[in-house]
């Protein structure tokens, strides 16, 4: 089973690999559906491929916009560039881009993006017959249907298992075009209008706003919960998926590292002993610590109901916040050196999420700055802080603390 992680920039890509991803999907500056993530320049794409291949990892590049005529001008040169730097696969949704890629770079494997809305075995067979090596299932497909497709068509199947859900059919949305100045969701510029707060306006009574639901907070009628299929891991294997995909190219480094590590641990545990596998409570607790909306199982085992929407707000929730990144550990002095990412001070209890090792909890006893001076707080961005710690900690461990909630 491949664990496929999002990589919105170089730092997120490296953290995804460090925390256990087998492959990442990422986009260049053009032709991908996440125009507002950092994305990769040509030089960065070349560096990313080299970095991944040195570690036995894989790079899948998104070329999954629905192009207009002007988008096609620069496409042939870009496809040849991706071939020349050795990317492992192209993610494509549009038949025109697919056709060009098959003619110009026939040696590159093509994965059919979830944007292509592939929901049945006949469509999968169609793409397979044309030369696609993998099809990413539409998020509206149940695991029972995936199992049927796998039985009928000898092609790799990939499925989303964690992250944000789109209210539109596998992402085909026009809301951004209408609510903004030509920001096309299908050309990479989604502004997530589905998270906006809505009321109804009657045509002959302009200026009068009526709540869709009798609730003083309004309603978010398009606002889906986030997907989490960790409890269904054995079913994902049984259905015939070869790759489990995590959504989140615009999410934080903390999100990517945490989700990747949880699914890595679960996959490894299942493959060691499928018969006695169970979802550990600490894995589910970890997934609550990242920024997310309440979780849903999506379309995996049943049709979503009204309970799979969030009606009262569009903001995320999380139990912990990322406050520092471990840069090194001095084994002689028993000091961990942390790069500050958010304000912290002595006396606070923190956790260290390690790439490979167990979770470590520590109440900060003392701190020094980079020059060895005693300090009681780390208020400066990316300040290097020394903290006494008897437990050796891995480089790139993530330091975080519980979010303190105050009553309104």
């Amino acid at each position: 089973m491949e664990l496929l992680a999002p990589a919105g920039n170089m730092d997120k890509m490296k953290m995804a690999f460090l925390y256990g991803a087998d492959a990442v999907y990422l986009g260049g500056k053009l032709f991908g559906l996440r125009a507002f993530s950092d994305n990769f320049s040509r030089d960065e794409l070349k560096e990313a491929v080299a970095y991944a291949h040195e570690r036995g990892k894989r790079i899948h590049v998104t070329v999954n916009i629905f192009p207009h005529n002007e988008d096609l001008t620069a496409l042939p040169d870009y496809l040849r560039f991706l071939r020349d730097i050795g990317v492992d696969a192209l993610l494509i949704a549009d038949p025109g881009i697919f056709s060009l890629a098959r003619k110009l770079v026939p040696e590159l494997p093509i994965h059919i993006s979830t944007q292509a809305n592939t929901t049945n075995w006949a469509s999968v067979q169609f793409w397979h017959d044309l030369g696609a090596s993998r099809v990413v299932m539409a998020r509206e497909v149940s695991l029972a249907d995936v199992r049927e497709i796998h039985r009928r068509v000898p092609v790799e199947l990939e499925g989303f298992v964690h992250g944000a859900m789109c209210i539109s059919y596998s992402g085909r949305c026009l809301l951004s075009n209408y609510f903004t100045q030509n920001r096309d969701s299908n050309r990479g510029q989604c502004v997530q209008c589905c998270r906006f707060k809505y009321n109804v306006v009657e045509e002959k009574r302009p200026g009068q706003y009526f709540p869709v639901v009798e609730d003083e907070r309004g309603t978010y009628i398009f606002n889906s919960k986030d997907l989490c299929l960790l409890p269904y891991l054995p079913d994902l294997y049984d259905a015939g998926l070869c790759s489990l995909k995590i959504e989140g190219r615009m999410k934080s480094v903390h999100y990517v590292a945490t989700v990747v590590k949880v699914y890595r641990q679960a996959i490894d545990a299942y493959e060691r002993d499928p018969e006695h596998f169970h979802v550990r409570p600490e894995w589910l607790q970890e997934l609550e610590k990242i920024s997310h909306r309440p979780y849903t199982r999506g379309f995996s085992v049943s049709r979503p109901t009204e309970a799979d929407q969030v009606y009262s707000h569009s903001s995320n929730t999380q139990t912990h916040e990322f406050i520092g990144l471990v840069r090194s550990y001095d084994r002689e002095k028993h000091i961990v050196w942390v790069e500050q990412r958010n304000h912290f001070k002595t006396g606070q209890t923190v956790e260290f999420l390690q790439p490979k090792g167990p979770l470590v909890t520590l109440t900060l006893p003392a701190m020094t700055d980079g020059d060895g001076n005693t300090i009681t707080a780390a208020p400066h961005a990316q300040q290097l802080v020394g903290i006494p710690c008897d437990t050796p900690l891995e480089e790139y461990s993530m330091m975080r603390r519980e979010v303190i909630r105050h009553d309104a």
Side-chain angles (χ1 to χ4, degrees):
M1 180 68 77
E2 175 186 79
L3 180 57
L4 179 58
N9 58 33
M10 193 71 74
D11 286 342
K12 294 175 187 177
M13 181 200 75
K14 292 179 179 179
M15 292 296 277
F17 286 144
L18 190 65
Y19 277 76
D22 299 304
V24 299
Y25 62 101
L26 51 82
K29 298 294 185 181
L30 300 171
F31 307 115
L33 281 176
R34 286 295 179 267
F36 300 138
S37 63
D38 294 341
N39 292 322
F40 289 70
S41 67
R42 289 199 173 200
D43 287 342
E44 288 171 332
L45 282 169
K46 188 174 181 180
E47 180 186 346
V49 172
Y51 181 92
H53 289 177
E54 286 170 3
R55 291 157 179 80
K57 308 290 187 177
R58 297 179 292 279
I59 299 288
H60 304 172
V61 177
T62 59
V63 194
N64 58 347
I65 65 167
F66 292 102
H68 291 234
N69 289 334
E70 62 268 24
D71 296 315
L72 299 177
T73 304
L75 184 61
D77 177 66
Y78 183 62
L79 292 174
R80 293 188 184 100
F81 167 76
L82 295 178
R83 174 200 61 196
D84 292 344
I85 65 173
V87 305
D88 296 284
L90 305 177
L91 271 161
I92 292 173
D94 177 71
I97 294 181
F98 182 95
S99 177
L100 283 172
R102 292 293 293 158
K103 291 175 184 176
L104 297 172
V105 290
E107 60 272 59
L108 277 184
I110 296 178
H111 297 176
I112 302 303
S113 169
T114 191
Q115 299 294 126
N117 312 131
T118 309
T119 60
N120 61 79
W121 66 263
S123 293
V124 173
Q125 186 70 62
F126 168 82
W127 287 115
H128 175 56
D129 291 345
L130 288 177
S133 60
R134 181 184 294 185
V135 177
V136 185
M137 293 285 86
R139 299 183 210 202
E140 296 77 21
V141 178
S142 70
L143 290 178
D145 283 343
V146 173
R147 191 177 298 109
E148 172 75 1
I149 292 167
H150 176 66
R151 184 181 68 82
R152 286 176 172 267
V153 189
V155 68
E156 293 182 354
L157 301 177
E158 177 180 303
F160 279 94
V161 295
H162 199 94
M165 294 282 282
C166 182
I167 194 66
S168 297
Y169 211 89
S170 283
R172 291 202 178 193
C173 178
L174 290 175
L175 283 178
S176 288
N177 302 61
Y178 290 104
F179 281 83
T180 62
Q181 293 187 352
N182 297 319
R183 290 189 176 181
D184 191 342
S185 304
N186 301 310
R187 297 169 82 183
Q189 298 177 318
C190 176
V191 294
Q192 294 196 321
C193 297
C194 53
R195 311 301 181 192
F196 293 177
K197 179 178 178 179
Y198 289 96
N199 287 277
V200 172
V201 177
E202 199 275 322
E203 181 181 7
K204 295 182 179 179
R205 287 182 277 183
Q208 296 186 43
Y209 299 92
F210 302 94
V212 181
V213 177
E214 288 296 329
D215 188 324
E216 70 278 2
R217 294 170 296 185
T219 186
Y220 297 81
I221 56 177
F222 304 127
N223 191 26
S224 173
K225 293 181 178 180
D226 284 356
L227 183 68
C228 177
L229 295 186
L230 183 67
Y232 299 93
L233 187 64
D235 302 292
L236 298 171
Y237 274 83
D238 182 63
L241 293 173
C242 75
S243 179
L244 305 185
K245 189 171 192 172
I246 298 166
E247 182 276 338
R249 276 193 286 154
M250 295 177 67
K251 301 288 181 65
S252 69
V253 169
H254 179 222
Y255 169 95
V256 172
T258 303
V259 178
V260 166
K261 183 171 184 182
V262 167
Y263 279 86
R264 175 80 277 150
Q265 290 178 321
I267 287 171
D268 291 347
Y270 178 82
E271 293 187 352
R272 278 194 304 269
D273 188 1
E275 195 171 329
H276 298 98
F277 174 81
H278 66 279
V279 175
R280 299 174 189 166
E282 60 265 31
W283 294 341
L284 297 173
Q285 290 167 10
E286 281 296 308
L287 295 178
E288 292 297 332
K289 293 176 181 179
I290 58 171
S291 178
H292 68 287
R293 297 178 184 87
Y295 288 126
T296 174
R297 61 191 184 184
F299 292 80
S300 59
V301 296
S302 63
R303 304 295 291 180
T305 69
E306 64 276 5
D308 294 285
Q309 297 291 113
V310 183
Y311 298 98
S312 60
H313 59 86
S314 65
S315 59
N316 289 0
T317 183
Q318 64 189 87
T319 63
H320 288 67
E321 56 187 345
F322 172 43
I323 58 174
L325 186 67
V326 171
R327 286 304 186 185
S328 64
Y329 182 81
D330 188 327
R331 290 181 176 270
E332 291 184 3
K333 299 179 179 179
H334 296 264
I335 292 177
V336 59
W337 288 96
V338 175
E339 183 182 276
Q340 188 259 32
R341 295 301 179 88
N342 204 337
H343 183 281
F344 58 89
K345 59 186 179 181
T346 56
Q348 291 181 335
T349 298
V350 301
E351 294 179 349
F352 291 92
L353 178 71
Q354 302 188 87
K356 301 292 188 295
L359 193 68
V360 174
T361 301
L362 176 70
T363 299
L364 302 179
M367 300 192 301
T368 59
D369 63 19
D371 297 322
N373 301 311
T374 299
I375 57 176
T376 58
H380 305 302
Q382 295 188 292
Q383 175 183 6
L384 200 62
V385 179
I387 302 169
C389 180
D390 290 332
T391 304
L393 294 171
E394 300 167 16
E395 186 180 5
Y396 297 109
S397 296
M398 310 198 82
M399 186 170 104
R400 63 193 180 194
R401 64 166 170 244
E402 188 171 2
V403 176
I404 299 175
R405 303 194 181 281
H406 302 282
D407 293 335

